[in-house]
Amino acid sequence: MAGRFPMYALAGLVVVMGGLAACSPLKALNALSPGGASTATDGIAYGAHLRHKLDVYVPNGGGAGAPVVVFFYGGNWNAGERADYAFVGRALASRGIVAVIPDYRLYPEVRYPDFLDDSAQAVAWTAREIGRYGGDASRLFVMGHSAGAYNAAMVALDDSYLAKFGMKPASLRGWIGLAGPYDFLPIENKVTRPVFHFPDTPPGSQPINHVDKAVPSALLIAASRDKLVNPARNTGRLANKLRSNGVGVTEVYYDGVSHTTLVGSIAAPLRGLAPTLDAVDSFVNGKPRKP
């Protein structure tokens, strides 16, 4: 908890987390996040490409029958490494969850929708193989932050991706989005535009356009004053559409975090910023959520 960490150091971490695209803040969080509650197996191939690798974090003592979360990191679909998010894997494992963190191909090597095929392939590998690590494939969730939340949303809502690997969204127990872009046409970010074939971005690229009554339940978390991904337009609109289709959704907004520090608040040193890990734990493990 934050109270166990010097406040001046906590303040410094919050500042540097504003530059989350750089790897050094993430490495700092990894260095300061305890790994004693989990065992990691890294560099497992889930496909043929160099970036088709994933890491698995198992709770100490084994994860027999444990729920499973596949976590996709953000980075505007042009940056990111699974090793930088070890703090997420360790945190989830500390709550009895088997965590899987895959890499996926990035722009400019690929564009939409290739990284979604990678994401679905990683989920399919997990469904097939996670029993070897003690996880229960019938309790499988996908989760992501920012661009990774988009990946998780598309895997959970658009059945075409999992179908390529013999699965369907109903195979998932639920999905979790942290500060995700779910409804972002027309694309304003000039860096993002080429990733989605601007100006010919297809409407089917938007998660909000794939909601129906059959999709899995969701936990949607956002920073109240997110300056990068508008929370009302993205999290709010998607939550409303899920509800209007009778899909279970928990919608949470936190005041004490930004777009970037929201995922950072999962790490032990920054948990005082927001109870993000508690919310995920409650959703995945079926615990009553604290007000």
Side-chain angles (χ1 to χ4, degrees):
M1 297 297 293
R4 299 177 186 174
F5 195 65
M7 290 306 295
Y8 68 85
L10 174 60
L13 266 177
V14 172
V15 171
V16 298
M17 282 292 291
L20 192 62
C23 65
S24 55
L26 296 171
K27 289 182 177 178
L29 282 182
N30 286 334
L32 294 166
S33 297
S38 65
T39 301
T41 304
D42 58 16
I44 304 168
Y46 69 86
H49 191 273
L50 182 64
R51 284 188 63 85
H52 288 168
K53 299 287 196 304
L54 54 79
D55 300 340
V56 178
Y57 296 81
V58 178
N60 275 357
V68 183
V69 169
V70 181
F71 174 82
F72 301 105
Y73 51 75
N76 209 8
W77 302 280
N78 61 30
E81 299 288 341
R82 66 185 189 277
D84 291 337
Y85 292 83
F87 69 90
V88 175
R90 293 168 184 166
L92 293 173
S94 75
R95 301 299 178 93
I97 300 166
V98 175
V100 177
I101 304 182
D103 281 332
Y104 51 92
R105 290 173 294 167
L106 302 169
Y107 179 83
E109 180 180 4
V110 299
R111 304 186 185 199
Y112 165 86
D114 297 331
F115 43 79
L116 297 176
D117 288 332
D118 293 354
S119 299
Q121 189 172 1
V123 172
W125 178 94
T126 302
R128 291 193 313 269
E129 304 292 342
I130 205 62
R132 296 167 50 201
Y133 301 86
D136 182 353
S138 71
R139 302 173 68 195
L140 176 60
F141 298 78
V142 292
M143 173 181 171
H145 169 250
S146 192
Y150 169 89
N151 291 13
M154 289 295 283
V155 168
L157 302 178
D158 183 343
D159 59 9
S160 68
Y161 295 104
L162 286 176
K164 296 174 184 179
F165 302 98
M167 293 180 65
K168 51 189 176 181
S171 305
L172 303 174
R173 182 69 65 90
W175 71 279
I176 302 152
L178 307 181
Y182 312 118
D183 181 20
F184 55 91
L185 294 186
I187 298 174
E188 297 179 358
N189 188 315
K190 292 182 179 179
V191 176
T192 304
R193 284 177 173 179
V195 179
F196 288 89
H197 311 282
F198 181 88
D200 300 315
T201 308
S205 65
Q206 303 301 289
I208 199 166
N209 292 332
H210 296 282
V211 172
D212 61 35
K213 298 181 185 301
V215 301
S217 61
L219 168 64
L220 303 180
I221 305 177
S224 303
R225 292 180 287 275
D226 191 325
K227 298 181 185 299
L228 294 178
V229 177
N230 185 291
R233 175 174 179 176
N234 291 275
T235 297
R237 283 187 187 177
L238 182 59
N240 287 338
K241 189 162 186 181
L242 288 166
R243 285 193 199 96
S244 70
N245 279 270
V247 178
V249 56
T250 301
E251 181 184 4
V252 184
Y253 300 90
Y254 294 134
D255 293 333
V257 289
S258 67
H259 180 81
T260 50
T261 58
L262 177 61
V263 68
S265 68
I266 293 174
L270 298 183
R271 282 179 202 157
L273 297 177
T276 308
L277 181 60
D278 290 340
V280 172
D281 182 11
S282 295
F283 182 72
V284 171
N285 284 305
K287 302 175 182 176
R289 182 173 166 266
K290 296 179 180 179

